[in-house]
Amino acid sequence: MARYLTPSKIGLLALIQLYTDLMVPTSATIPILSFIVARLLPFQPPTEKPLGSLSNDQSSLILIEDFQKLTIVHSSGIPGRTIWDLFLKKLWDINSFDALHGLFDDLSMVLVKTREEHLRDLEQGLAPPPEHMILLSRNSPLGTFVRRVQLEFTRVQFHDSMTLWNSFVQYRKPTLGLWRKRNPTAGPMSFDTNLQSEGLTWEDALTCVLYGTEEGRTSSTSDGFVSTSETEKLLEFQVEKMQKIGHRMPEGIKGWLSALLRDKGTVPSLLHYVRFLDAWRAGDYPTSFDNLHRYFDYTMHNHDRTFYQYALLNLAFLQADFGCYVEAVAAMQETISTARENKDMACLNFSLSWLYHFGKAHPVEMEGTGTRGTLGLEREDLAFLRTKAKEASMWSLWSTSLLSEAKLGLSSGDSVPIAFENILRGSHLNITKSLANVMGSQMLLQSSLWSRLGVTHLAWSFTEVFLQCYAEPSPLEDILKCMCRSAYIMTEKGHYEAARARMDEVERDWLRALRLNQYWAVFCGILKLKRELRRNNLNVADRLLLQLLSQPSPDPEVSYEISILQIELLIRRSSYAEGLSKLDNIATSLKEANGDIDHRVHLLTLKAIMLHKCGRPEKGFSVAVRAASIALRARLLPSLWEAIGAVANILLQLKDFAAAGKLASAIMPQVLEYENSALSAYMYSILVDAHMGLAGAVKRGSSKRKECLTKASEFIDNAFAEFSHIKDIQGQCDMMAKKATIMHLVGDLVLANDYAAKYLDLKRQRGE
């Protein structure tokens, strides 16, 4: 494999010579020069292309068909001839190994001569270049390319130059038929004028010695189509995509690389790193560990300890992803020490940021390391990271630190305006510095913030804006989390089919990465479990829960959601003692880890509900009031409404129907704006019971009693509609039973029997 020279670069030289010979008309100058320069400037593929795809307009590997498409539509400076005709003649004029040498020797003629070269030409009596030629500046993109090509050819060894010639012959071979139409004397041996003049064929011994057999030439020379430089560019491109986006190497690229590097004595060291990333994403721990050591063994051999901290950094990532948390923390701490020793501030700041976020996700594993601290220390850590990131102009880390401060403030119940301020500062930084890969974290945090404030339509809108406008350059993990968040919001509204369709939008190629596959599978299981719980299919829910608990937790938020669903299943089975024990364990772990205050308030509300169902309403009342007080102070409006609902439900059991009705009526408009069908149905059912209790406290036949029963009937219809949205069979049964009771009280026995029949139908659907 040549280091730089390839047949496609000879084609570019032919185009450049046509341009300098004034064979390219003015109308074709811009397309021709744009085509050439696009292959010579640094390798920067556009972001709108599919992941892992390398089309010919992005790569320096140019097919002969690309030259044809470019030049055949443009006429040349010679009447009746296109640029493609002249380009084809240029290629076939290189009809011997000596002509190839002549091509590179004559390249100096297209460059502007230096002062020393002018003086030397005058001394030797050489004629100046023709005035009708375009001379290239030596420092222009075209001039730099010509100089480098000429230098590389003078440095190439004889064997490599022969490989280049054979590759060029094979590269040019598809145009033989077109060349014969323009030059009838051309034959199958026209690629080498020496063989043609001697009348030799493929059966002659000399031809076989020089070029081998005709059948074996393709496999023996195809490796010359791609240079080492181009291979390294491809590997760098794959590394960039795999690190930024988080996907695995496409199978087509992987097969092409394997075929290209097969039977080669040496391979680029970066290939080991690409294989490490691919095996890491695939969940192959031994292979990824082996390739990581191979790559950094080569790197350390060439650069001493310069890259040692990056070897440790990658090792920490690898250990953390495969659940070896103690080893990951140890490797990261050594990374910090080495980066500080080498004064690598970028690596040091990034390592500190990673260690902070790792401690938030896995607080138990950080207990024995001495790095886990209190809330005040966490704020100091983030302030330090923000300052250092600003000093080092690490914009991405600066933005991440601002978003982390906002998230920390929300999880600890601090001021919501301060959280908004940090998010807006991070958003301003993302926009001004074009940090497209951080937009996913920002949008997800904004969606979470609006959910805490009870504005569901804005929370959903942020997920849609991200998926429509910012998904292309963002990491796949952020895209998947955003799609899961959107599906979860749809599920809370009862749109199960839309939520399933949203989860099915995930591309199958993304799921080749083990971490993304696990996250997607677990979240799909959570959505199914919620649906089966509401349908009261408890046996199916048991099996789904068992599968979810057997899977490794991909995220603390997901782990918490699974625990809550487990408690809800125990409540539906009336296993309150076991549910309270499970709830206390979760609450203890959240308190030790300084967990999210929203989660802790939700647990208090669930505890109040279970205490109420256990027949201990007084204790449940104090717990519910405490949850409401914390939620109000932290501006957790949905949690506040749930806690107020729990208080109202306990008041119903204590027969304080008027107070329960006032509480439920006060928050009902905001609950409806929240667009959570389960919470809306729960509050409507409280209003039903409150008005039924008020009706029972007045005289039979009075207008007040009739008014309360009418309102109760309306609220039953509303509650039944909300329960129907989420397919909650138990809630629908309860509403039909209450509706039948009201009809009996008002004396409408026909309707009472109809509602009783609907109740029995629903019970049969429930499997009872």
Side-chain angles (χ1 to χ4, degrees), residues 464-501:
E464 292 302 305
V465 168
F466 171 72
L467 293 174
Q468 294 294 330
C469 304
Y470 299 101
E472 187 66 36
S474 299
L476 296 184
E477 185 172 358
D478 287 349
I479 300 175
L480 181 60
K481 286 184 177 180
C482 201
M483 297 177 82
C484 291
R485 174 71 62 85
S486 177
Y488 187 84
I489 294 174
M490 294 176 184
T491 302
E492 292 302 305
K493 297 179 181 181
H495 302 157
Y496 298 113
E497 298 302 325
R500 187 174 65 179

Side-chain angles (χ1 to χ4, degrees), residues 436-480:
N437 59 329
V438 191
M439 291 301 296
S441 302
Q442 175 198 323
M443 292 285 188
L444 284 169
L445 184 57
Q446 287 177 292
S447 176
S448 176
L449 177 55
W450 287 114
S451 292
R452 288 167 178 260
L453 296 177
V455 191
T456 303
H457 66 278
L458 273 181
W460 183 80
S461 297
F462 272 103
T463 62
E464 292 302 305
V465 168
F466 171 72
L467 293 174
Q468 294 294 330
C469 304
Y470 299 101
E472 187 66 36
S474 299
L476 296 184
E477 185 172 358
D478 287 349
I479 300 175
L480 181 60

Side-chain angles (χ1 to χ4, degrees), residues 516-535:
L516 300 181
N517 195 324
Q518 289 178 340
Y519 193 97
W520 179 82
V522 169
F523 211 90
C524 286
I526 288 175
L527 299 183
K528 291 179 181 178
L529 178 57
K530 290 181 74 71
R531 186 173 186 176
E532 296 305 327
L533 280 174
R534 290 167 177 173
R535 287 179 170 179

Side-chain angles (χ1 to χ4, degrees), residues 173-232:
K173 184 179 178 181
T175 64
L176 178 59
L178 297 174
W179 178 240
R180 281 182 174 178
K181 292 180 181 179
R182 292 161 178 79
N183 187 8
T185 61
M189 310 304 291
S190 296
F191 65 89
D192 192 330
T193 185
N194 298 302
L195 298 179
Q196 189 176 24
S197 61
E198 295 295 332
L200 298 178
T201 63
W202 284 109
E203 287 74 20
D204 292 307
L206 180 59
T207 306
C208 295
V209 170
L210 291 176
Y211 295 100
T213 61
E214 187 174 11
E215 293 76 11
R217 293 179 64 215
T218 301
S219 59
S220 62
T221 60
S222 59
D223 60 330
F225 289 177
V226 183
S227 66
T228 303
S229 173
E230 293 166 350
T231 304
E232 290 177 351

Side-chain angles (χ1 to χ4, degrees), residues 114-171:
T114 62
R115 182 174 180 275
E116 291 77 9
E117 289 176 338
H118 274 297
L119 293 176
R120 187 168 59 250
D121 289 347
L122 289 175
E123 291 176 358
Q124 297 177 0
L126 298 177
E131 295 183 357
H132 63 275
M133 280 188 62
I134 297 177
L135 297 181
L136 304 176
S137 171
R138 306 180 73 87
N139 294 325
S140 66
L142 299 186
T144 303
F145 171 68
V146 169
R147 290 167 56 202
R148 181 176 181 184
V149 165
Q150 193 174 33
L151 176 63
E152 290 289 344
F153 190 75
T154 58
R155 295 170 58 183
V156 75
Q157 297 181 0
F158 178 77
H159 172 74
D160 293 331
S161 63
M162 283 299 302
T163 302
L164 175 63
W165 166 246
N166 288 331
S167 300
F168 176 70
V169 170
Q170 191 67 24
Y171 181 80

Side-chain angles (χ1 to χ4, degrees), residues 331-587:
M332 189 56 71
Q333 288 177 333
E334 190 175 352
T335 302
I336 294 172
S337 301
T338 308
R340 186 181 293 115
E341 177 186 341
N342 293 337
K343 298 181 180 180
D344 189 344
M345 297 307 298
C347 182
L348 177 61
N349 293 336
F350 182 82
S351 302
L352 290 172
S353 175
W354 184 91
L355 197 61
Y356 166 79
H357 289 94
F358 180 82
K360 294 294 292 182
H362 307 281
V364 177
E365 286 74 15
M366 300 293 291
E367 288 183 351
T369 63
T371 56
R372 179 186 169 194
T374 61
L375 185 61
L377 292 178
E378 290 180 2
R379 297 186 190 280
E380 293 176 4
D381 291 342
L382 287 175
F384 172 80
L385 286 173
R386 187 182 70 248
T387 303
K388 291 301 181 181
K390 185 177 181 180
E391 291 175 356
S393 298
M394 300 176 65
W395 312 122
S396 180
L397 180 59
W398 187 6
S399 175
T400 303
S401 300
L402 289 170
L403 296 178
S404 298
E405 282 193 62
K407 188 174 183 180
L408 179 62
L410 290 175
S411 65
S412 58
D414 288 348
S415 172
V416 173
I418 292 179
F420 268 116
E421 178 186 353
N422 285 321
I423 292 176
L424 291 177
R425 289 171 64 190
S427 176
H428 173 74
L429 193 62
N430 294 340
I431 294 173
T432 55
K433 302 300 180 181
S434 300
L435 304 177
N437 59 329
V438 191
M439 291 301 296
S441 302
Q442 175 198 323
M443 292 285 188
L444 284 169
L445 184 57
Q446 287 177 292
S447 176
S448 176
L449 177 55
W450 287 114
S451 292
R452 288 167 178 260
L453 296 177
V455 191
T456 303
H457 66 278
L458 273 181
W460 183 80
S461 297
F462 272 103
T463 62
E464 292 302 305
V465 168
F466 171 72
L467 293 174
Q468 294 294 330
C469 304
Y470 299 101
E472 187 66 36
S474 299
L476 296 184
E477 185 172 358
D478 287 349
I479 300 175
L480 181 60
K481 286 184 177 180
C482 201
M483 297 177 82
C484 291
R485 174 71 62 85
S486 177
Y488 187 84
I489 294 174
M490 294 176 184
T491 302
E492 292 302 305
K493 297 179 181 181
H495 302 157
Y496 298 113
E497 298 302 325
R500 187 174 65 179
R502 173 52 54 88
M503 296 301 293
D504 289 340
E505 290 176 8
V506 176
E507 296 183 16
R508 298 298 117 182
D509 191 54
W510 298 0
L511 302 182
R512 293 175 58 234
L514 178 64
R515 182 181 179 86
L516 300 181
N517 195 324
Q518 289 178 340
Y519 193 97
W520 179 82
V522 169
F523 211 90
C524 286
I526 288 175
L527 299 183
K528 291 179 181 178
L529 178 57
K530 290 181 74 71
R531 186 173 186 176
E532 296 305 327
L533 280 174
R534 290 167 177 173
R535 287 179 170 179
N536 212 45
N537 294 332
L538 301 186
N539 293 331
V540 177
D542 261 332
R543 291 194 291 271
L544 286 172
L545 181 62
L546 185 61
Q547 294 177 7
L548 290 174
L549 293 175
S550 63
Q551 293 288 330
S553 175
D555 188 81
E557 296 284 339
V558 174
S559 178
Y560 171 79
E561 186 66 30
I562 295 174
S563 300
I564 292 301
L565 291 175
Q566 185 178 9
I567 293 175
E568 289 185 7
L569 177 61
L570 293 173
I571 292 176
R572 287 182 178 268
R573 289 193 178 278
S574 301
S575 302
Y576 301 121
E578 187 178 352
L580 284 170
S581 175
K582 175 69 176 176
L583 188 146
D584 289 338
N585 292 336
I586 300 174

